[in-house]
Amino acid sequence: MNTDTDGIAEVWDRVVGTQPDPSFAVVAVTGLVALAVVAARGPWRVARNAVTIAHEGGHGIAALLTGRRLEGIRLHSDTSGLTVSRGRPSGIGMVLTAAAGYTAPSLLGLAGAWLLAAGHVTALLWGATALLLAMLVMVRNAYGMLTVVLTGGAFFLVSWFTATEVQAAFAYGVVWFLLLGGVRPVFELQAKRRRGEAPDSDADQLARLTNTPAPLWLLLFHAVALCSLTGGGRWLLGL
């Protein structure tokens, strides 16, 4: 019995405790790798699935926090997604739910950067695993379930079976990717709207909900992404 208690206490200490900061070289290299993944078309096409998980997860969390009923989440192989919630078709709850998608990856990256700056590498990895597990319950299609399981499995395996240095490198790479990966989709959306390819985008839905022009919502998305990248980057680099 004491052994079980000691084991639980040890795990808890790992989660809430702090880990040594990696070297500046590790922080810089993981940032450059994340930048290369976001900038290159091929790697981005695959890695964008992770941004979609964060995007749709943001919609889902906002819906729950504002009292809406979350019906389900679907993730598609073309990296698009859909989150369905029930409730009032207008009002602050619907506005916050619609606005949470494009801002979620950057804000999650900012929160992750704060945790890493405080030395909580394991807490970040376990927290991400818990969020992905909670999201899995609401995913309603096979591809979405596979994507979330693989992503959550990667976080769990790294946090449980690898050395501290590997955990830190993985965590910094993920946070850099969220911060940088939160910027590109907003530019992609802007380009699609310019070509008339996204008439029902989050920005357009927000425009109808608030009688505010869609470009102003795009500006908000840009501001959140770039400010998060600036602030989170400073935390990661120890500036």
Side-chain angles (χ1 to χ4, degrees):
M1 188 67 176
N2 290 336
T3 302
D4 293 339
T5 304
D6 291 343
I8 294 173
E10 181 181 352
V11 171
W12 178 251
D13 288 341
R14 285 181 57 188
V15 174
V16 301
T18 59
Q19 290 75 43
D21 293 332
S23 65
F24 182 82
V26 170
V27 177
V29 169
T30 53
L32 291 174
V33 170
L35 178 60
V37 171
V38 172
R41 178 176 298 181
W44 171 247
R45 191 173 300 169
V46 177
R48 200 185 193 284
N49 285 285
V51 176
T52 302
I53 291 174
H55 179 115
E56 301 303 330
H59 284 313
I61 291 173
L64 292 173
L65 291 178
T66 56
R68 297 180 62 81
R69 180 181 176 184
L70 183 59
E71 294 287 324
I73 297 172
R74 299 180 69 88
L75 306 171
H76 305 132
S77 58
D78 62 355
T79 71
S80 65
L82 176 66
T83 299
V84 178
S85 63
R86 302 295 181 187
R88 289 183 58 192
S90 60
I92 186 64
M94 189 61 199
V95 171
L96 291 176
T97 299
Y102 277 96
T103 56
S106 296
L107 293 178
L108 286 172
L110 184 63
W114 177 77
L115 282 173
L116 293 182
H120 294 294
V121 175
T122 303
L124 183 146
L125 297 176
W126 280 50
T129 304
L131 287 174
L132 289 164
L133 182 61
M135 184 176 177
L136 181 62
V137 177
M138 298 307 303
V139 175
R140 295 291 183 262
N141 66 320
Y143 181 83
M145 294 179 67
L146 176 63
T147 304
V148 174
V149 166
L150 290 177
T151 306
F155 275 93
F156 175 75
L157 291 174
V158 169
S159 65
W160 193 256
F161 294 107
T162 65
T164 302
E165 295 79 7
V166 177
Q167 293 181 24
F170 180 80
Y172 272 81
V174 167
V175 171
W176 274 122
F177 175 74
L178 286 172
L179 291 171
L180 292 163
V183 175
R184 180 165 177 172
V186 186
F187 284 99
E188 292 177 340
L189 174 60
Q190 188 172 3
K192 286 182 179 180
R193 292 192 71 259
R194 192 180 299 119
R195 298 192 299 267
E197 297 176 358
D200 200 36
S201 69
D202 290 356
D204 293 283
Q205 292 181 42
L206 286 163
R208 291 191 290 270
L209 287 167
T210 62
N211 294 317
T212 304
L216 288 182
W217 286 105
L218 279 172
L219 182 62
L220 174 65
F221 296 161
H222 280 301
V224 171
L226 293 174
C227 289
S228 297
L229 175 59
T230 301
R234 289 177 63 85
W235 274 335
L236 294 177
L237 295 170
L239 301 179

